[in-house]
Amino acid sequence: MKLLLKSFKILIYSLLIVSTCAITVFAHDRIDYGQDKHYRYENLLGQYAQLAVRKNVTDLTQREKTAFVKAIKTLKTVIPAGSKLSIYDQFVAIHLGATRLIHNHKGHSDGSVQELAHENAAFFPWHREYIRRFEQALQAVDRTVTLPYWDWTDAKALDVIFNDDFLGSNGQGVTIKIPNQGNFTGGPVPGAFSAANGWVMNPALNIDPDTGISLGTSLVRFLRLPPASNYPVPKKDIERVLALNDYSLFRPALEGFISVDEQGKVTPGGFIHNYIHGLVGGVQIDASTTPITFKSLGTMSNIPSSPYDPVFWLHHANADRLWAEWQDNGHKGSDFYPPDGHSQPYGHNLKDLMWPWDGGMSNPKATALGDLLSLLPKFNSDDLVRPLDVLNHRKLGYTYQTWENQPRR
Ligand SMILES: [Cu+2]
């Protein structure tokens, strides 16, 4: 009898737990999470997993800011066995490689330089995988750290991020005179991310791949240098992009190659994600060329090496958050992406493997990038990632805080 009672109790308890789980899963956007920014989430196998919660940078506590900077600086100093680069620099090398390598994919490559991570459909999937791996590297240093995101429509965010107590201020020491606009300052960043404090960039990786010219060893910012000086990004601009149903418009609109107005008229230009790269790094218009070209001055505006500015991770967490929001908002599943069948260059179709997680299927050939090939980290042959594999960010083990505090539209 006692035993029966005991099993009955256990049954009741498990029922209680199951019903709590059901509510929990149903309302997972509203669950409290502990101070370590993880909350329990029932995964597909019915087991609890911890989802890392990415917070708005303006909501970070001082302790969280300090932990984030400390973990980043640790990755900058730890050099894995057999590597010439620190873990942080390996991440930069991968980004640079993805922008400017020649890949020979068996059966479908013409041997030309390919962009694996930008300017096409894999922009969101590739960066989702890339920044998740970086977040996991940070968590190997300090398991409480998650990537904060930079909501570009948040006026406060700029001062919170570019502050001496976090990612450092604007650069200093260089004055640029812009006709009719005044004098603007930028240059090497002082503080925790200065070369004097150990933030020394590898000149072979901090490079303009178009010219092959190295951009030196210091983190450089020209914050809000005209013409890329408007901040914050208007909320309606983001909402208009989120309302686009077609991924082949949503992606270039958020990446920043087109803008789509209310009437659906498409204008080419540099907007949103691309614009923010310029807002931090600084770009100068060179009117002496036809067509007019833009010269990047700082680290963020030279996109191939831009992960050398630690704000890169916050910037891309936000791009990923907006993609996730678009997905949650009626665009779940794989129907929206280029299907298998090579309609796009290799790496951008739904079931293409994304270099460098392609099991060695591509044989990258360095172009003008010196010994980049010898610097790249090696990945296991079974470490394979396709756009299809990263469409559900929760399956990758993280979510965004936004949806817990704000009513969904
Ligand atoms: Cu990128």
Side-chain angles (χ1 to χ4, degrees):
M1 184 63 197
K2 246 185 183 171
L3 194 69
L4 205 72
L5 196 68
K6 207 174 167 194
S7 21
F8 183 66
K9 264 188 182 166
I10 291 172
L11 183 72
I12 292 293
Y13 272 117
S14 23
L15 279 176
L16 267 175
I17 290 168
V18 166
S19 57
T20 319
C21 296
I23 292 163
T24 301
V25 170
F26 180 71
H28 67 265
D29 283 346
R30 298 204 168 273
I31 294 173
D32 285 341
Y33 49 90
Q35 52 158 242
D36 69 350
K37 298 194 298 289
H38 293 77
Y39 67 73
R40 281 151 63 86
Y41 182 80
E42 195 180 19
N43 67 20
L44 293 177
L45 299 170
Q47 297 157 332
Y48 272 128
Q50 300 278 320
L51 276 199
V53 179
R54 296 182 181 170
K55 292 174 69 172
N56 188 325
V57 66
T58 58
D59 290 334
L60 293 191
T61 63
Q62 192 55 54
R63 191 198 67 79
E64 287 169 333
K65 286 186 203 172
T66 307
F68 182 71
V69 169
K70 208 175 150 203
I72 281 193
K73 294 204 74 177
T74 303
L75 295 184
K76 188 79 180 74
T77 52
V78 174
I79 299 175
S83 172
K84 293 177 211 159
L85 300 180
S86 68
I87 296 173
Y88 195 98
D89 286 18
Q90 287 185 331
F91 273 94
V92 178
I94 292 168
H95 193 265
L96 179 63
T99 65
R100 286 298 191 288
L101 285 175
I102 296 172
H103 297 259
N104 290 326
H105 295 95
K106 291 174 201 120
H108 33 85
S109 172
D110 60 3
S112 59
V113 172
Q114 287 196 25
E115 244 296 353
L116 279 269
H118 307 91
E119 300 170 27
N120 209 324
F123 171 71
F124 287 115
W126 191 93
H127 284 86
R128 174 167 285 175
E129 178 67 21
Y130 177 64
I131 69 172
R132 178 60 180 146
R133 285 180 188 241
F134 183 74
E135 183 172 55
Q136 286 169 332
L138 293 174
Q139 288 169 345
V141 177
D142 179 345
R143 67 170 295 278
T144 71
V145 170
T146 58
L147 292 181
Y149 63 84
W150 172 7
D151 178 351
W152 315 307
T153 68
D154 186 338
K156 299 187 302 292
L158 210 62
D159 290 337
V160 169
I161 296 169
F162 300 107
N163 194 296
D164 292 333
D165 73 0
F166 194 45
L167 302 187
S169 63
N170 188 21
Q172 292 179 1
V174 181
T175 303
I176 291 186
K177 197 177 160 68
I178 298 180
N180 308 320
Q181 306 235 40
N183 290 336
F184 295 85
T185 313
V189 171
F193 292 95
S194 66
N197 279 317
W199 199 257
V200 181
M201 287 138 69
N202 184 322
L205 302 177
N206 186 31
I207 195 165
D208 175 348
D210 291 330
T211 60
I213 293 171
S214 172
L215 305 170
T217 55
S218 291
L219 172 60
V220 173
R221 290 184 189 134
F222 284 83
L223 266 185
R224 302 190 74 173
L225 180 80
S229 54
N230 291 329
Y231 187 84
V233 174
K235 275 200 165 71
K236 63 169 178 29
D237 288 7
I238 301 293
E239 293 190 345
R240 208 182 302 128
V241 173
L242 286 172
L244 295 167
N245 281 315
D246 185 344
Y247 183 77
S248 69
L249 290 176
F250 170 78
R251 193 275 310 160
L254 195 59
E255 187 176 358
F257 290 103
I258 58 168
S259 89
V260 184
D261 73 10
E262 254 109 60
Q263 282 70 47
K265 192 170 159 275
V266 173
T267 319
F271 308 98
I272 309 187
H273 152 270
N274 285 336
Y275 188 89
I276 295 288
H277 273 279
L279 179 110
V280 179
V283 285
Q284 262 190 313
I285 298 173
D286 183 354
S288 69
T289 62
T290 328
I292 288 170
T293 49
F294 292 93
K295 187 179 159 225
S296 66
L297 296 174
T299 307
M300 268 288 273
S301 38
N302 178 49
I303 286 188
S305 312
S306 59
Y308 258 138
D309 190 325
V311 78
F312 173 94
W313 310 103
L314 285 66
H315 180 44
H316 269 278
N318 196 50
D320 184 71
R321 178 181 72 98
L322 294 170
W323 180 36
E325 179 157 349
W326 184 80
Q327 292 179 304
D328 271 2
N329 216 353
H331 307 98
K332 269 195 167 53
S334 58
D335 294 351
F336 302 92
Y337 307 92
D340 203 19
H342 325 310
S343 67
Q344 299 300 318
Y346 194 84
H348 293 282
N349 303 291
L350 193 62
K351 293 180 184 168
D352 290 349
L353 293 167
M354 296 189 290
W355 181 89
W357 316 290
D358 66 354
M361 167 191 183
S362 63
N363 299 305
K365 287 182 190 163
T367 51
L369 298 178
D371 61 352
L372 175 65
L373 275 185
S374 71
L375 298 175
L376 285 165
K378 306 270 179 284
F379 291 90
N380 287 340
S381 57
D382 59 353
D383 189 358
L384 305 173
V385 187
R386 305 164 298 174
L388 181 64
D389 302 319
V390 299
L391 296 184
N392 183 347
H393 68 284
R394 292 185 184 90
K395 261 169 90 176
L396 302 182
Y398 69 90
T399 189
Y400 290 95
Q401 183 195 26
T402 334
W403 306 323
E404 293 160 68
N405 300 335
Q406 290 172 11
R408 303 298 311 283
R409 270 175 289 140

